[in-house]
Amino acid sequence: MKAEAILIQRPERQSTAQKAVFTTVTIFAWLFWVFLWLPLLTLGAWAFGVRSAWLQLHVLGPIGDGGDINVILIVAIACAVVFTSWSGYNHARFAGKQKRRGNKPVGVAETASAIGASVDDAMKMQGHRRSVVSVSDGGYMKVDEVR
């Protein structure tokens, strides 16, 4: 399939229902992306409100003997250390590296052998946009028609 034939690059070919579905899926994807950032935003808000939280929860109106707030602070600090060290590890491991490796070019003969076709059939399919194929009784693919 050629790139210019992809439906998303030709929005005039989409029906109203398809546009509505794609819009809905896009909105949900963006909401999920924002949802993934919420822990980081919460950590930032917590970091800016540490002094205020300490005053409200521990100094002005202590909870029990202070053990509850200490456990909450220890767990919060442990979570921050774990996630910070994990992100540092990932940054050190993947920063500046190419995300994807290029594919090795595959010749027509290798492609034909992989799909169980002859080299002539593979050349016919490569030169046309659409091919009608069938499978022989022996389990091999044969090209019936190319368009």
Side-chain angles (χ1 to χ4, degrees):
M1 175 184 261
K2 293 187 178 180
E4 58 269 2
I6 296 174
L7 185 64
I8 200 164
Q9 293 178 353
R10 304 289 304 267
E12 66 274 4
R13 290 185 177 177
Q14 291 179 338
S15 68
T16 306
Q18 285 177 323
K19 288 180 183 178
V21 168
F22 288 143
T23 301
T24 305
V25 169
T26 302
I27 288 170
F28 279 118
W30 277 107
L31 288 174
F32 182 70
W33 186 82
V34 169
F35 173 75
L36 291 175
W37 281 96
L38 284 178
L40 184 62
L41 295 174
T42 303
L43 179 65
W46 182 82
F48 287 119
V50 169
R51 184 175 185 283
S52 176
W54 177 261
L55 287 173
Q56 294 296 322
L57 297 174
H58 192 67
V59 175
L60 299 176
I63 301 173
D65 62 351
D68 296 338
I69 191 68
N70 291 339
V71 170
I72 291 171
L73 290 175
I74 289 169
V75 169
I77 290 170
C79 288
V81 167
V82 165
F83 288 120
T84 303
S85 60
W86 181 255
S87 67
Y89 165 75
N90 280 329
H91 180 72
R93 183 175 175 198
F94 298 113
K97 294 186 179 171
Q98 184 178 357
K99 293 186 191 243
R100 294 186 179 145
R101 296 183 187 126
N103 295 330
K104 291 187 259 179
V106 179
V108 176
E110 291 92 2
T111 304
S113 66
I115 63 175
S118 68
V119 176
D120 292 335
D121 287 345
M123 292 291 287
K124 280 188 214 174
M125 288 189 291
Q126 186 179 25
H128 294 82
R129 290 183 65 178
R130 294 181 189 94
S131 300
V132 178
V133 296
S134 61
V135 180
S136 67
D137 292 335
Y140 296 104
M141 187 177 78
K142 64 179 183 176
V143 176
D144 293 334
E145 161 186 7
V146 290
R147 298 182 225 162

